[in-house]
Amino acid sequence: MVLTKQYDRHAPEKVFGIIGSGNASNVALLPAGNKSTSRRIFVPACENVLLWDLKTHTQVKTFVDETASSSTLKKKIREEAIVVAASPNGKHLAVGYQNGIIKLFTVTQNDNTVNFHGHKSSITTLTFTHDSATLISGSKDTDIIAWDLITEAGLYRLRGHKAPVTKVLMMKNQSILISSSRDMTIKFWDMSIQHCFHTIVTHRTEVWSIALAYDRYLITGCSDNELRFFALRSTIADEDDALMFPPLTDEITNEDQVPIHVQSLGSIVRKSKQRVSNLHVDQDDRVLACHGVEYFGEFFRISTIDEIRTRLRKRLSKARKRKENGDEKNDEAIKIDWDLSLVFTSLCEIKFDGKVRAFDMFMETQMTCKIVALTLSNKLDLHLLNIQDKTVEQLPSIEKSAHRTEVRCLAFSSDDMLIASGSGESLKIWNRNSCESIRTIPCTYALCCMFLPGDHLVLIGCKNGSLQIASLDSASIVETVQGHEENQSVWTMCMTPDKQSFLTGGSDKKIQFWNLELKDERESQSKKTRKRLSFEHKRSFDVGEDVLALKISPNNRYFVAALMDTTVKVFFMDSCQMFLSLYGHSQPVLCLDISFDSRLVITGSSDRNIKIWGLDFGDCHRSLFAHDDTITAVQFVPKTHLFFSTGKDNKLKYWDADKFLHVQTLDGHCGEIRCMSITNNGMHIATAAHDRSIRLWERTEEPLILDEEKEQEREAQFENEMENDEFILPGETNKEIGLAALKTIESLKGAESVIEALDIWREEKLKLAEHDATEKALGKEVPLPPPHIMLQALGNGYTAERFVLESLRKISASDLEAALLLLPFDYVQKLLTLLVYYLDRFQSPELCVKCAVFLIKIHHGVLTSSHQYLSIVEQLRTRCMETVETLRNNVGFNYAGLKLIRRQIEEQNDVILFADATQKLSSAEGKKRKKNKGSAAILTIKGTSALA
């Protein structure tokens, strides 16, 4: 019997080092429940959403999809979060992902309640209605979908835009939706009839964002440097309209039944020449903010109605004075010109520390506005804007737990408890268990790093050719040496097995040999000398090409260098004589490693191949096509011939160098992986990527079976490649509105389970009919036939009807309509017959009524054109009406009972609270008077409440 090699499965452990994703479209403030509590903000961070406290600068919660626990789901669902939206009541968080899925989270319980599958491509915008009952989403697939959060299902799909939807907004006072798109149009939709009643077509460039103020002004931002303003006039006249809007030339009539009329007010020229990325108005409608893809944002003050009234009075008094002074003709009536400056005035510009990706703001006091901006430098900038004085105060930003630029190197300490990460501006030391930053040491651009013996010092190779020693004790750079030629990058470094010396290689075409030694260092305060680990240059070795990677064999006999001329050369450690030349890659080798027994060399190149070489003779054992893009790092697991590789295709892969097998693929990063490091015991792997995140992966005790892993990868690939087609309904003529549901793998599985259950029910029904016929023919009792094997497995007394109902219940509410649409018509007929059976017995009445109404609506033409189906339709009609009436009566009775209980509780509380209050107020007076007043008050309250 041949024994198969067993591998351990690796799984993601933690994600840290990221504050906000660079691809995020927006950030969302959590609605304030109490004025005294500090405000919190939702920020997309790769596939998660982080909740940051703006007062304590701490991460409060992480919202991650817990349903993606199986490996296949991880491969399919792990997508980058792009858009977030918080419901006005503060209970729900909606997250839009790059693959078109929308996930709804409960803010308090931190769990994923429902997934919405309706869009084919990335979500671009999300918004809630004012009552938090409906979610509106827009996507790059040009569609707008309304989702019902109570029934957890899609309501309808709005079509009309010809390019990606950029933003959707809901008016507070009316059920009107406003959407903008890159097709240069803005559409107004009446949500009650799902109809577009007006389109603004005056823009000449793509509309990137829109904003609403007071539900009266619409502000639009395009690819040019102008902000355009439109008045939204309601057909119902308001006394404030004369102040808020300019006079109309034509009187508004309600003959065309349009809810609002749109009037152009003019435009304001921005100082920036870039396109608008986002427009935002705070919740109190006091400040309008605008930013593009640059380092600053522009802010405008929005005047209140009282301020507009005051300004108009001033203009009127000035006009009267001019008339009295004779500046104007006395015959003409006094006229005041209405312009945009009455409502919108420029406040200031605020420059941020990086390019602005998204921001939000809120009024902290009546005159101060707090601005939170997510920048591309992986930080949250905070500013306080005084709208009266036009002054700006920069507050401490949220930046401690992240690098400003992407991480270029990683290294584990000798005890595997610390992680060093180097980037363009600093070196950070992380605790592996807590993933908290414990040291931040400013340095020049770091390209490689490693811990020196003792783990108190970190050696850094820099982009300018210098070598720096960072001390963890003092959190500073204690020594800087120009190790290579100036402005020639140090690409790689490696320590000798005896920990006595190290090698560095760079773009100056030299390999430098260094010895570690102890040097005397004078302390600045006590003027005492102490020993500190340092290094001294030993010799140089010119190789004629840029050195991109360097490794020393564990037996200390050879060192291997990857050169820019695509070759890998092996040299003797003592004499620097060339031993082997490994050639075969078509592009430069960027990374390499040597196995623990000094027998194998692995090389990873820009040609996307990994080659496994023998160090004895320099023969190529195998060439593996490993990644879909450049390979950035390879490393052996200590004391094994297993190794990991990373690439610019965002993947971490696990390989067996003996059997030349691909063992496992680990997805998670949303950007190119730059570097990797493995602990000395091989239990943890750290990777850092262009998405600014650092991820820890751990080796689990779960065995990994290669055949199962390959099968899961094939299933995940099939699901990812399956087209999410819209359903085409027969006889549908309205092109503007459609079904929200899409054909997904979940709805497909749900439809298959219902079809299987209906087949079992049909089979059991035929068995019973045959049994009854046999009993009637023989004239005696015959034992019942055994039930279906599925029903036997579920237990005694489990009927086929119950099995069908349970199959329907297991389908999620968001996938129910799509699953019903996938049923063939003969199964629809069987299901309608069973729905009558369930409604007669009042089993899951809401679900049955929903299924019956939807199926009759979809198959209305076929069901009403044939007499054989009319009886089923009639039975369903009567049963549904009776069921809904019963449910309505139950709800009404329970509602009335709850109101009575609430009233009784309020009466008791009123009596107790009022009695306490009278006792406290009369405590200074005499006891007799206090008692009389207390009893009188109690009697009075009780009498009035009884009358009420």
Side-chain angles (χ1 to χ4, degrees), residues 96-286:
Y97 291 84
Q98 204 166 16
N99 59 353
I101 293 177
I102 300 168
K103 294 177 184 175
L104 199 67
F105 294 88
T106 305
V107 173
T108 53
Q109 298 176 358
N110 195 9
D111 60 343
N112 177 218
T113 55
V114 66
N115 294 348
F116 292 130
H117 302 264
H119 292 287
K120 297 178 184 177
S121 56
S122 177
I123 306 296
T124 55
T125 176
L126 291 171
T127 187
F128 284 89
T129 54
H130 193 57
D131 56 0
S132 301
T134 308
L135 174 68
I136 313 294
S137 64
S139 169
K140 287 184 178 179
D141 60 5
T142 73
D143 291 343
I144 300 166
I145 300 180
W147 308 92
D148 191 349
L149 303 188
I150 298 170
T151 62
E152 297 181 353
L155 294 174
Y156 43 80
R157 180 189 302 268
L158 299 174
R159 304 189 188 99
H161 286 293
K162 306 299 181 186
V165 179
T166 53
K167 199 164 185 182
V168 291
L169 294 173
M170 279 295 300
M171 294 184 70
K172 295 177 183 177
N173 301 325
Q174 301 183 63
S175 62
I176 293 174
L177 173 72
I178 307 171
S179 64
S180 64
S181 171
R182 289 166 61 181
D183 60 2
M184 301 183 287
T185 63
I186 296 173
K187 289 184 177 289
F188 293 78
W189 308 82
D190 191 337
M191 301 295 283
S192 57
I193 58 175
Q194 297 97 52
H195 173 65
C196 175
F197 63 87
H198 185 75
T199 304
I200 299 177
V201 294
T202 56
H203 298 90
R204 291 291 171 264
T205 55
E206 298 171 334
V207 183
W208 287 98
S209 187
I210 55 175
L212 265 179
Y214 296 125
D215 266 4
R216 297 171 184 265
Y217 303 106
L218 176 69
I219 307 103
T220 67
C222 304
S223 297
D224 54 16
N225 62 340
E226 288 187 17
L227 294 181
R228 293 169 176 81
F229 296 80
F230 297 88
L232 307 181
R233 289 178 176 270
S234 176
T235 52
I236 302 169
D238 192 352
E239 59 182 7
D240 293 331
D241 285 357
L243 299 173
M244 304 291 279
F245 302 130
L248 268 179
T249 53
D250 300 327
E251 188 178 351
I252 295 178
T253 60
N254 203 17
E255 294 177 357
D256 50 358
Q257 300 295 321
V258 176
I260 57 172
H261 289 265
V262 182
Q263 177 189 6
S264 177
L265 296 178
S267 64
I268 294 177
V269 177
R270 298 187 298 123
K271 294 181 180 178
S272 171
K273 302 298 181 184
Q274 301 285 338
R275 71 167 178 86
V276 172
S277 288
N278 194 12
L279 289 171
H280 192 75
V281 173
D282 70 294
Q283 289 291 326
D284 299 329
D285 294 333
R286 299 299 306 278

Side-chain angles (χ1 to χ4, degrees), residues 7 122 144 239 280 555 575 596 645 767 791 850 853 897 922:
Y7 303 97
S122 177
I144 300 166
E239 59 182 7
H280 192 75
N555 59 12
S575 64
F596 73 103
S645 67
K767 277 187 191 176
L791 302 179
K850 184 178 179 180
V853 171
S922 57

Side-chain angles (χ1 to χ4, degrees), residues 451-728:
F451 278 90
L452 294 178
D455 293 340
H456 288 279
L457 301 172
V458 178
L459 180 65
I460 308 168
C462 303
K463 194 174 183 180
N464 62 359
S466 64
L467 297 175
Q468 295 183 331
I469 293 182
S471 171
L472 273 60
D473 300 329
S474 63
S476 63
I477 301 295
V478 294
E479 186 175 355
T480 302
V481 174
Q482 192 66 37
H484 291 258
E485 291 181 14
E486 196 170 351
N487 297 325
Q488 298 294 321
S489 302
V490 181
W491 290 115
T492 178
M493 61 173 59
C494 60
M495 184 77 68
T496 55
D498 57 4
K499 309 289 184 185
Q500 298 295 317
S501 58
F502 64 91
L503 276 64
T504 60
S507 55
D508 61 352
K509 305 178 182 179
K510 290 179 182 178
I511 297 174
Q512 306 286 359
F513 290 75
W514 308 85
N515 282 343
L516 293 173
E517 59 178 23
L518 290 172
K519 283 187 178 179
D520 292 333
E521 183 184 38
R522 186 181 295 275
E523 294 182 4
S524 58
Q525 297 178 350
S526 60
K527 295 184 180 179
K528 294 180 181 179
T529 60
R530 63 173 184 175
K531 297 289 185 181
R532 177 180 60 77
L533 192 64
S534 181
F535 55 91
E536 184 180 11
H537 186 256
K538 184 180 178 184
R539 57 177 168 163
S540 296
F541 177 50
D542 196 337
V543 290
E545 291 287 342
D546 291 9
V547 181
L548 302 178
L550 196 61
K551 280 290 175 184
I552 300 172
S553 63
N555 59 12
N556 208 14
R557 289 186 63 190
Y558 313 107
F559 67 90
V560 184
L563 307 180
M564 185 64 86
D565 61 358
T566 73
T567 62
V568 178
K569 292 184 179 179
V570 184
F571 301 92
F572 287 104
M573 190 71 186
D574 50 0
S575 64
C576 292
Q577 295 294 320
M578 191 176 75
F579 171 53
L580 295 169
S581 180
L582 312 178
Y583 56 90
H585 285 287
S586 60
Q587 291 187 29
V589 174
L590 301 179
C591 49
L592 61 88
D593 199 12
I594 304 174
S595 63
F596 73 103
D597 53 4
S598 302
R599 292 177 58 191
L600 296 178
V601 178
I602 51 173
T603 56
S605 167
S606 301
D607 60 9
R608 301 175 289 177
N609 290 316
I610 291 176
K611 291 186 184 292
I612 304 170
W613 313 81
L615 197 54
D616 296 334
F617 305 102
D619 56 325
C620 181
H621 292 182
R622 186 65 63 93
S623 180
L624 304 169
F625 184 77
H627 290 267
D628 296 329
D629 208 335
T630 300
I631 297 168
T632 55
V634 289
Q635 190 172 348
F636 275 106
V637 178
K639 299 184 179 174
T640 66
H641 280 180
L642 305 172
F643 68 92
F644 283 90
S645 67
T646 62
K648 290 187 177 180
D649 58 355
N650 313 348
K651 292 177 182 177
L652 170 67
K653 292 190 176 183
Y654 189 27
W655 304 85
D656 187 344
D658 289 333
K659 296 181 178 292
F660 317 120
L661 290 175
H662 172 220
V663 181
Q664 190 182 2
T665 299
L666 295 166
D667 286 316
H669 280 290
C670 301
E672 304 170 350
I673 301 179
R674 298 294 191 189
C675 50
M676 169 182 63
S677 184
I678 301 178
T679 56
N680 296 316
N681 58 10
M683 293 297 294
H684 299 274
I685 305 104
T687 56
H690 184 66
D691 59 11
R692 311 296 171 84
S693 70
I694 303 172
R695 290 175 189 263
L696 268 181
W697 314 81
E698 63 174 343
R699 188 172 73 197
T700 64
E701 296 180 356
E702 180 187 354
L704 186 145
I705 301 166
L706 285 177
D707 292 339
E708 289 184 4
E709 186 72 13
K710 289 177 181 177
E711 182 65 28
Q712 288 177 357
E713 286 185 3
R714 281 194 294 267
E715 287 180 8
Q717 186 178 2
F718 168 73
E719 292 176 17
N720 288 327
E721 291 176 355
M722 190 185 76
E723 293 185 1
N724 295 334
D725 296 328
E726 292 182 33
F727 292 100
I728 300 173

